[in-house]
Amino acid sequence: MSKDVHIHDGVEFKQSVLFGNRIAIDSGVYVTVPCKIGDYTHISPYVTIIGGKKSYFECKGFNNIMAGARIICGSDRFDGSGLFGALIPEELKGKQLIEPVIMEEFSNVGTNAIVLPGAHLRKGVLLTAGSLLMGDTEEWGVYKGNPAVLVKKINGTKTIKNAKKLGYEF
């Protein structure tokens, strides 16, 4: 059983969610994908995590997703291969891009940032406010821009040391 989980009344989950401990999810959060939310995670107001029931999202712990961020785990391709939209019958749909989005420990998504299907935020990654992330990242990297690029690396030693004081091993 999860402990110390605070979910605002204005949050909507359309699929199954597995919760860790010490989680706060603020008003206006909307989730349409199955997901796993790890310990010490905060999801700020008006975050959307979308892509439907075939998609998947996971944040492994010690994560923050700041206000207005968009995590996209599935999307239509809009490439002329068929019809597009949530209400189109499966046999008439065009190609879709459905890939999980994974946030490893200590990774964070800034305010109004967008994360596209298949993105992998490695341990300690920071995606800065307003950035657009596609694909993989490097551990302890700071990513900025549209598209997001690595702008610097940070030292995660103190972060890991503090998490170990809480009884976690990495």
Side-chain angles (χ1 to χ4, degrees):
M1 183 82 184
S2 298
K3 299 184 300 191
D4 198 22
V5 175
H6 304 277
I7 301 173
H8 189 276
D9 291 339
V11 172
E12 187 171 354
F13 292 103
K14 296 282 201 175
Q15 305 295 328
S16 63
V17 182
L18 294 174
F19 294 106
N21 299 307
R22 296 168 188 83
I23 294 170
I25 302 177
D26 295 341
S27 179
V29 172
Y30 181 73
V31 182
T32 69
V33 303
C35 60
K36 184 175 181 182
I37 300 173
D39 296 351
Y40 289 99
T41 294
H42 177 220
I43 303 176
S44 295
Y46 305 105
V47 167
T48 55
I49 304 171
I50 62 171
K53 62 184 174 186
K54 295 179 186 175
S55 302
Y56 180 71
F57 171 71
E58 181 174 358
C59 50
K60 296 188 176 187
F62 295 90
N63 304 110
N64 294 284
I65 305 172
M66 296 295 116
R70 306 291 181 240
I71 311 289
I72 315 298
C73 304
S75 176
D76 293 322
R77 294 291 300 261
F78 301 101
D79 61 358
S81 61
L83 295 171
F84 301 103
L87 303 176
I88 301 299
E90 204 60 42
E91 67 273 9
L92 302 177
K93 273 188 172 287
K95 293 178 185 172
Q96 295 180 308
L97 179 59
I98 309 278
E99 295 183 33
V101 172
I102 307 297
M103 293 178 66
E104 292 185 9
E105 294 89 351
F106 312 114
S107 62
N108 298 282
V109 174
T111 300
N112 290 326
I114 300 171
V115 179
L116 294 181
H120 190 148
L121 288 85
R122 300 282 175 180
K123 186 183 292 181
V125 161
L126 170 61
L127 178 63
T128 63
S131 295
L132 173 69
L133 181 65
M134 300 177 278
D136 207 349
T137 58
E138 295 179 27
E139 287 189 0
W140 302 103
V142 176
Y143 287 79
K144 180 179 182 179
N146 181 357
V149 295
L150 179 66
V151 294
K152 73 177 182 178
K153 298 277 278 204
I154 57 176
N155 183 335
T157 304
K158 185 170 184 177
T159 301
I160 291 172
K161 181 180 175 184
N162 286 345
K164 285 180 178 180
K165 289 179 182 178
L166 292 172
Y168 291 82
E169 288 299 322
F170 301 95

